[in-house]
Amino acid sequence: MRAPELTRFTSAHLQQALGLSSELGWPYRLEDWAFAQGLGEGWALEQAGRLIGTAMRWQYGHAFATLGMIIVANASQGRGYGARLFDALLDDAGPQTLLLNSTREGLGLYSRCGFLPIGEVYQHQGVPTPGLSSPELGWVRAAGVCDLPMIDKLDSETVGMPRGRLLQRLAQAGRLSVIVRNGVVTGYAACRRFGRGHVIGPVVAEDVTHAQALIEDAISKLPDTFIRVDISTTPDLGSWLETRGLKRVDTVTAMVRGAPPQPSGNARLFALCSQSLG
């Protein structure tokens, strides 16, 4: 059999890519792959016309990118194909700062490539238990088009990277909600279809109480719906999600190669858009 060939990942690979992620037990939909591919670029590894591996990169400004969706078919593992895909991503990216979230299996490869651990991300999911009405929900309202510039500014300050294109796509794909104080957006959350149900994230807020209010507002619009939230190391938020029926089911390691982005302002990133997109 001929050696696998690296080609650029395109929309023509989406259906087979869905098969690869399904083989690993990742509950992606075809629409989830299309959302990620529409925002990023990457590599496909093909053998005899069959897709056996993928690797993706998402650019944020000129200085930062996230890496993810690095998959090798089960039957093709153990042959260095993952490293080959990852090397192609690194060659594309050049000297900029790179961020990723690693499973336990990927830690060795990424460490050898110069990535250092900077924290953990906890995956919570489930069908929320019925919640009680809370006066804090009055802080939250649906975002309008006029709010997008302030959401963009808040997000850029909070994560230390420009993510305007991602936010525009999130607004198109789902629902954005905001907390506004004195005419200024001080917190926001995105909610969209993903995987087995919906994902809530990013969530940016000044404190954990405001983050809970944004998440609770999203949950209240989706009764009896499977929800996923990927949070940074925030014990109070994780404990609260457990009480809401969103159990912690997995932990990955956040890693960086290069100078980490420098957040500013008073807000914090409490939940990710996804483990790949950040």
Side-chain angles (χ1 to χ4, degrees):
M1 184 175 292
R2 294 179 59 184
E5 296 183 0
L6 274 175
T7 63
R8 291 291 179 178
F9 190 93
T10 72
S11 58
H13 294 110
L14 291 176
Q15 190 65 55
Q16 289 191 72
L18 178 64
L20 288 183
S21 57
S22 298
E23 185 180 77
L24 294 183
W26 296 5
Y28 288 0
R29 303 170 304 142
L30 186 62
E31 294 88 345
D32 301 327
W33 269 101
F35 182 89
Q37 186 265 330
L39 283 165
E41 56 186 332
W43 291 95
L45 192 62
E46 295 180 299
Q47 189 168 46
R50 182 172 60 92
L51 184 70
I52 63 170
T54 63
M56 297 290 295
R57 174 173 62 92
W58 297 272
Q59 194 69 39
Y60 297 123
H62 299 296
F64 303 100
T66 63
L67 310 179
M69 289 177 150
I70 301 162
I71 303 175
V72 175
N74 285 336
S76 300
Q77 291 184 8
R79 304 177 191 179
Y81 295 156
R84 185 178 173 189
L85 284 159
F86 196 64
D87 285 344
L89 282 184
L90 297 183
D91 288 343
D92 275 350
Q96 65 184 320
T97 292
L98 301 174
L99 300 110
L100 57 80
N101 290 300
S102 174
T103 62
R104 183 171 58 254
E105 293 78 11
L107 284 173
L109 170 62
Y110 304 142
S111 296
R112 289 193 296 273
C113 291
F115 284 78
L116 299 174
I118 54 173
E120 292 182 319
V121 173
Y122 303 138
Q123 178 181 335
H124 288 255
Q125 64 185 40
V127 178
T129 55
L132 301 174
S133 60
S134 170
E136 284 80 10
L137 292 185
W139 301 341
V140 182
R141 65 164 172 80
V145 174
C146 62
D147 296 312
L148 287 178
M150 283 193 289
I151 294 173
D152 188 5
K153 180 176 183 295
L154 175 66
D155 184 81
S156 294
E157 292 173 348
T158 302
V159 301
M161 303 184 295
R163 304 197 301 175
R165 187 160 170 252
L166 171 62
L167 294 172
Q168 290 175 359
R169 291 295 302 274
L170 288 171
Q172 296 166 359
R175 178 180 183 269
L176 294 180
S177 57
V178 290
I179 294 175
V180 180
R181 180 180 297 170
N182 297 324
V184 177
V185 172
T186 61
Y188 86 91
C191 182
R192 62 187 170 96
R193 285 287 312 277
F194 180 85
R196 296 168 58 187
H198 281 70
V199 62
I200 300 173
V203 177
V204 168
E206 289 184 321
D207 56 38
V208 68
T209 300
H210 286 190
Q212 290 172 0
L214 286 160
I215 295 170
E216 188 66 63
D217 176 77
I219 290 174
S220 71
K221 307 294 191 297
L222 300 166
D224 303 319
T225 300
F226 185 88
I227 301 288
R228 172 172 171 170
V229 187
D230 291 280
I231 68 169
S232 56
T233 310
T234 312
D236 290 348
L237 184 58
S239 298
W240 176 78
L241 288 171
E242 294 272 352
T243 67
R244 294 297 287 107
L246 303 182
K247 303 301 182 183
R248 183 169 134 190
V249 297
D250 195 20
T251 302
V252 295
T253 301
M255 307 187 79
V256 67
R257 192 179 82 166
Q262 297 299 312
S264 60
N266 297 321
R268 292 171 53 197
L269 179 67
F270 283 89
L272 309 184
C273 172
S274 73
Q275 291 185 11
S276 294
L277 291 164

